[in-house]
Amino acid sequence: MSEPMTVTDPADPRLADYTGLTDVELRRRREPAEGLFIAEGEKVIRRALGAGYRMRSMLLTAKWLGVMDDVIAAAEAPVHVVEPALAEQVTGYHVHRGALASMERKPLPEAAEVLAGARRVAVLEGLVDHTNLGAIFRSAAALGMDAVLLSPDCADPLYRRAVKTSMGAVFSVPYARLEPWPAALATVREAGFELLALTPSGADDLAVAEPHLLPRAALMLGAEGDGLTAKALAAADRRVRIPMAHGIDSLNVGAAAAVAFYAVNAAGQ
């Protein structure tokens, strides 16, 4: 058991992992380089631990000591207790969930490793919005996707906002980077997947394409607004679309992903 220790100085080096959490550019560079990520909130912390991530430290306000008592009892990492005002001073925002943990990253697997044994995968190109990325991972976990593959310029799934939006689902779905892009899409095809590009133009409706009948399907989704690039579209085996009504031309990429994930897994079965 780690004995909780009160910290009163915002400059205390023991709190270094938690400084400037709202500085996206800083954290995007720093966290992968230092091999850490931040889990926020009781449920997310528990899910990270349950997925086998090792805790570096935990930062709590006093009222969360009871709630996290069992986690503290099992922790080998230091547990820092701070006042809410100090937590806000260190992190840069009001930590309303009252519990943060710095966790160690695991080595990222190769694409071939996450494709082995998978039947349904999502392939994301240029997704830089952490909220959308987290929502996609949450839908992927809930709707039966086996893995997520990311282009090199996609956001970090373990960035705090992505983890929080996904409610820890990023710990449940294996993911890997596809490099070089888009040439590495050949790895997906060689593993037996049909590449289905989700795009509103020149595409078959999902109901017509019947992706649920495919032995292995890889759904390709592009960034909000721009969608998939011309090179990614050219690499696809088929273009598919979600039929729209009332003059709406597209959905938010997170919503579109959820619809497509359902279609490729459950529709017609």
Side-chain angles (χ1 to χ4, degrees):
M1 176 177 179
S2 181
E3 186 68 29
M5 300 292 291
T6 300
V7 179
T8 58
D9 181 3
D12 192 309
R14 290 176 292 179
L15 305 183
D17 283 1
Y18 306 95
T19 56
L21 293 186
T22 58
D23 188 330
V24 179
E25 288 303 319
L26 171 66
R27 300 302 302 196
R28 190 163 56 188
R29 293 193 306 271
R30 179 186 170 193
E31 291 184 10
E34 297 183 17
L36 67 93
F37 70 92
I38 300 297
E40 180 179 1
E42 176 199 359
K43 289 182 180 179
V44 172
I45 291 172
R46 292 182 184 278
R47 286 173 182 170
L49 291 169
Y53 289 92
R54 196 179 80 84
M55 185 186 295
R56 290 163 57 110
S57 68
M58 190 155 52
L59 180 70
L60 301 172
T61 55
K63 73 175 185 178
W64 283 85
L65 286 170
V67 175
M68 304 298 289
D69 184 63
D70 59 318
V71 176
I72 294 169
E76 298 179 357
V79 177
H80 310 307
V81 183
V82 299
E83 291 293 327
L86 189 139
E88 183 171 353
Q89 188 176 355
V90 171
T91 63
Y93 73 106
H94 176 58
V95 188
H96 64 93
R97 293 176 182 262
L100 296 168
S102 175
M103 312 294 295
E104 283 192 3
R105 290 175 181 251
K106 298 178 182 179
L108 201 62
E110 296 294 325
E113 183 179 341
V114 302
L115 288 170
R119 294 183 59 251
R120 301 288 184 258
V121 302
V123 181
L124 309 182
E125 182 188 34
L127 264 290
V128 296
D129 184 281
H130 294 99
T131 300
N132 283 335
L133 188 64
I136 289 172
F137 266 88
R138 188 172 184 180
S139 294
L143 298 171
M145 301 301 286
D146 299 312
V148 176
L149 299 174
L150 308 166
S151 68
D153 55 346
C154 277
D156 177 13
L158 293 183
Y159 179 71
R160 178 179 59 88
R161 191 175 301 146
V163 173
K164 180 179 176 181
T165 304
S166 79
M167 290 299 294
V170 293
F171 310 136
S172 304
V173 183
Y175 68 91
R177 297 278 177 181
L178 269 180
E179 299 182 79
W181 183 267
L185 287 169
T187 302
V188 185
R189 185 177 289 106
E190 289 164 4
F193 288 84
E194 185 162 344
L195 291 162
L196 305 176
L198 206 64
T199 179
S201 60
D204 298 322
D205 285 356
L206 280 168
V208 174
E210 298 185 311
H212 60 284
L213 299 179
L214 295 173
R216 286 186 161 187
L219 280 169
M220 300 168 60
L221 295 112
E224 185 81 22
D226 294 336
L228 292 164
T229 62
K231 288 184 178 180
L233 288 170
D237 296 306
R238 189 172 186 178
R239 299 185 183 193
V240 295
R241 67 186 293 272
I242 299 168
M244 299 285 156
H246 302 294
I248 305 299
D249 61 357
S250 65
L251 295 173
N252 166 275
V253 65
V259 173
F261 295 166
Y262 176 79
V264 79
N265 278 296
Q269 294 185 354

